Amino acid sequence: MLLPGDADTVAAAREWRWAVLRLERAACGVADDDFDRTAAVRRADEGRDRFYVAARAGLTVGSGDAAQARWLTDRQMNS
C-alpha cells in the first residue's frame, strides 16, 4: 500500500520494506549466504518502529509510544 508522507516517512517505509523483503526471501528459501535470522528480525522490528515514529511526526501525532521492537525482544527472551 502506498500512502503519502514526508521524506522521512517514505525513507523509513523503504527501509522497513527492505528488511521485511529479506525475511520473505529467507522464508522462501532464497536467503543470502550471510543471512542472520535474529539480526533480520531485529532490523524489521526496528524498521517498523522508525516508520511509526516518522509517520506519527509527519501527522503530528504526539501522544504515546508506538515502539514495539524492545517489547518483542524482551518477550522472545523471556518465553
Side-chain angles (χ1 to χ4, degrees), residues 24-39:
E24 290 174 354
R25 289 175 50 83
C28 292
V30 291
D32 298 331
D33 291 337
D34 63 345
F35 181 77
D36 178 342
R37 181 191 174 282
T38 301

Side-chain angles (χ1 to χ4, degrees), residues 20-66:
V20 171
L21 179 62
R22 290 199 65 187
L23 288 171
E24 290 174 354
R25 289 175 50 83
C28 292
V30 291
D32 298 331
D33 291 337
D34 63 345
F35 181 77
D36 178 342
R37 181 191 174 282
T38 301
V41 169
R42 186 178 317 112
R43 271 192 299 277
D45 288 344
E46 291 171 354
R48 180 192 53 246
D49 288 353
R50 282 189 296 275
F51 170 76
Y52 286 149
V53 167
R56 290 166 60 95
L59 296 169
T60 63
V61 175
S63 63
D65 181 10

